[in-house]
């Protein structure tokens, strides 16, 4: 059995995990920095690096303790090389490198996006399912919205990726976060908008958002127009102003839970949130299904923070059934950033004998394909 310690620090989660043979999660610890970045309405890179520095040692220690292991029991160390914030990445890389050298264990550099793909495989394994490759994979988070074709590894090699579409502007999660901010619904925006959309029920739509048109590659995404349309709609309708102010005051008092904010939302606001979410989900699902049909694949993998969205999951399931596609998601905990997915991705490279060395450096713009 190969037990890999995974370390993730690319954005605002300090995470460590131990995964056996790339499939079985022995432990997974995630220290979120949301409380620190919240008052700025987004991740502040300098604060993120500092917080990673504070958290990295206890988080790794906790991951080992939960797996019932000592550092000496680890077979290799997998660490996120990029993409992400350079200062944040450097904390995990420096720590991982130092551990590997001090312990005399192999070091594996992991692409964060490959990690998100492996999050899907981890969950599939847990559920006793197997994703047939080639597949289409949608990675959809606060920093990324990108479509890949994923092909099986040749003997002893690595999975291969081909980028087939990406966002031209904002990531889908970023659109969620910006819309939540302008509506006075706090940060991050995804989880609360997800729940508010559900309770909108049949409230009449105050505005309709048509399908997003992108010139050129039909598999490319664009979310900044939708975000701007929400902004203009809110500006043109002064009746939103007062409830937004009321919610901002509630947020100031620390009342940011769904139960606290929902009563401060008019039916019109709830319906606006529903229409926004309908537009995002429709766009993500339609382009992904289009890609799967074009490439003639049978499986669709969906990963990243926005993959936690309940409507996205339900819509993919539904469309998948009607199109004969099998759709795979990570569990909600494995959808957002974590280190189990990094350890799982590291195992693939470990087996192929692809190792990093002391020269390993952060690569904030690292691409998967
Ligand atoms: O993967 P992740 O943890 O970090 C990045 O790599 O960006 O994703 C965080 C993003 C945030 O934008 C957050 O608003 C969004 O994922 N998110 C959601 C949901 N949960 C998290 N978006 C929509 N619905 C959700 N339930
Ligand atoms: Zn991520």
């Amino acid at each position: 059995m190969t037990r890999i310690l995974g370390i993730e620090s690319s954005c605002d989660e300090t995470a460590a995990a131990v995964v056996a043979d790339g499939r079985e999660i022995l432990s997974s610890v995630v220290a979120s920095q949301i409380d620190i970045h919240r008052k700025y309405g987004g991740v502040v890179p300098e604060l993120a690096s500092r917080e990673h520095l504070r958290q990295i040692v206890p988080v790794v220690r906790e991951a080992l303790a939960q797996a019932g292991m000592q550092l000496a029991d680890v077979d290799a160390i997998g660490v996120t090389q990029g993409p992400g914030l350079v200062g944040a990445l450097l904390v995990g890389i420096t720590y991982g490198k130092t551990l590997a050298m001090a312990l005399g264990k192999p070091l594996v550099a992991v692409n964060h996006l490959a990690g998100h793909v492996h999050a899907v495989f981890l969950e599939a394994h847990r559920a006793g399912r197997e994703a047939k490759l080639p597949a289409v994979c949608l990675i959809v988070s606060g920093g990324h919205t990108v479509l890949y074709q994923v092909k099986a590894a040749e003997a002893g090699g690595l999975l291969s990726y081909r980028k087939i579409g990406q966002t031209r502007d904002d990531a889908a999660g970023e659109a969620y976060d910006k819309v939540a901010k302008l509506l006075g619904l706090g940060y991050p925006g995804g989880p609360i908008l997800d729940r508010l959309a559900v309770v909108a029920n049949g409230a009449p739509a105050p505005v309709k958002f048509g399908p997003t048109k992108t010139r050129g590659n039909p598999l490319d995404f664009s979310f900044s127009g939708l975000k701007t349309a929400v902004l203009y709609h809110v500006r043109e309708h002064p009746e939103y102003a007062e409830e937004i102010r009321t919610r901002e005051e509630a947020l100031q008092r620390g009342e940011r839970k769904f139960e606290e904010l929902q009563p401060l939302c008019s039916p019109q606001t709830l319906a606006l949130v529903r229409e926004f979410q309908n537009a995002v989900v429709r766009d993500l699902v339609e382009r992904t299904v289009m890609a799967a049909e074009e490439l003639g694949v049978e499986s669709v993998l969906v990963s990243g923070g926005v993959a936690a969205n309940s409507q996205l999951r339900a819509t993919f399931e539904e469309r998948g059934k009607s199109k004969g596609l099998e759709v795979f998601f990570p569990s909600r905990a494995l959808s957002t950033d974590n280190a189990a997915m990094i350890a799982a991705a590291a195992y693939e490279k470990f087996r192929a004998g692809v190792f990093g060395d002391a020269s390993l450096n952060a690569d904030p713009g690292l691409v998967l394909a």
Side-chain angles (χ1 to χ4, degrees):
M1 187 170 64
T2 305
R3 291 182 291 187
I4 296 187
L5 170 66
I7 297 175
E8 154 66 31
S9 70
S10 66
C11 189
D12 62 340
E13 259 95 32
T14 318
V18 181
V19 174
D21 293 338
R23 314 202 287 199
E24 200 190 326
I25 302 171
L26 302 183
S27 68
S28 181
V29 177
V30 180
S32 167
Q33 305 178 358
I34 284 180
D35 287 335
I36 288 162
H37 302 291
R38 178 173 283 127
K39 56 176 168 294
Y40 307 98
V43 178
V44 184
E46 180 57 32
L47 296 182
S49 317
R50 243 187 276 168
E51 193 58 17
H52 284 305
L53 269 176
R54 259 165 39 83
Q55 295 285 359
I56 190 89
V57 175
V59 164
V60 168
R61 212 173 269 163
E62 180 64 21
L64 288 168
Q66 284 186 15
M69 288 165 60
Q70 316 254 313
L71 270 176
D73 304 328
V74 166
D75 294 300
I77 290 158
V79 62
T80 304
Q81 181 185 12
L85 302 168
V86 67
L89 288 163
L90 270 173
V91 176
I93 290 174
T94 308
Y95 191 60
K97 243 174 18 182
T98 311
L99 275 182
M101 280 189 281
L103 298 167
K105 309 277 181 180
L107 177 70
V108 182
V110 176
N111 184 311
H112 181 82
L113 297 168
H116 277 301
V117 176
H118 280 268
V120 181
F121 296 143
L122 274 171
E123 182 63 26
H125 173 73
R126 189 148 63 180
R129 297 168 72 195
E130 201 180 334
K132 238 191 233 165
L133 298 179
V136 161
C137 180
L138 170 70
I139 297 180
V140 61
S141 72
H144 307 277
T145 300
V146 51
L147 271 174
Y148 294 103
Q149 181 185 28
V150 186
K151 287 198 207 145
E154 316 248 307
L158 302 172
L159 291 174
S160 68
Y161 300 94
R162 186 165 70 88
K163 191 190 282 177
I164 51 178
Q166 64 187 320
T167 182
R168 303 258 177 95
D169 37 60
D170 293 352
E174 197 178 349
Y176 266 95
D177 294 340
K178 287 178 175 167
V179 165
K181 187 173 183 183
L182 77 90
L183 290 175
L185 289 165
Y187 172 85
I192 188 147
L193 294 189
D194 187 357
R195 296 187 64 187
L196 290 173
V198 175
V199 296
N201 297 320
V207 56
K208 285 274 182 195
F209 303 115
T212 312
K213 293 189 189 78
T214 43
R215 275 187 214 180
N217 184 358
L219 300 180
D220 275 351
F221 300 94
S222 168
F223 294 103
S224 90
L226 175 61
K227 169 202 67 191
T228 309
V230 174
L231 176 68
Y232 286 174
H233 170 76
V234 169
R235 276 200 195 145
E236 283 159 13
H237 293 80
E239 66 270 26
Y240 288 105
E242 196 182 321
E243 55 173 304
I244 291 175
R245 202 171 337 108
T246 309
R247 289 192 295 266
E248 283 170 348
E249 283 162 12
L251 290 171
Q252 287 287 324
R253 293 192 298 272
E255 295 162 16
R256 66 180 92 87
K257 289 204 197 86
F258 168 77
E259 292 75 14
E260 290 163 328
L261 292 172
Q262 191 224 321
L264 307 179
C265 294
S266 64
Q268 187 177 340
T269 292
L270 295 178
L272 173 61
V273 169
R274 181 194 62 210
E275 295 303 314
F276 165 76
Q277 174 154 291
N278 281 344
V280 175
V281 168
R282 177 183 57 212
D283 204 60
L284 291 172
V285 174
E286 289 314 314
R287 288 186 213 274
T288 306
V289 169
M290 193 198 299
E293 288 188 317
E294 250 172 46
L295 296 172
V297 304
E298 290 169 45
S299 346
V300 169
L301 323 176
V302 188
S303 192
V306 183
N309 187 273
S310 45
Q311 192 179 329
L312 186 72
R313 288 173 173 254
T315 310
F316 259 122
E317 294 290 351
E318 223 171 80
R319 292 282 283 143
K321 261 199 201 106
S322 73
K323 295 277 181 187
L325 290 167
E326 211 179 345
V327 186
F328 294 83
F329 285 93
S331 64
R332 277 189 169 71
L334 287 172
S335 295
T336 47
D337 288 349
N338 65 87
M341 68 185 197
I342 301 304
Y347 179 65
E348 190 200 3
K349 290 179 94 173
F350 176 89
R351 281 213 314 183
V354 183
F355 299 111
D357 59 29
S359 69
L360 178 66
N361 206 348
D363 188 346
L366 187 64
V367 295
L368 191 54

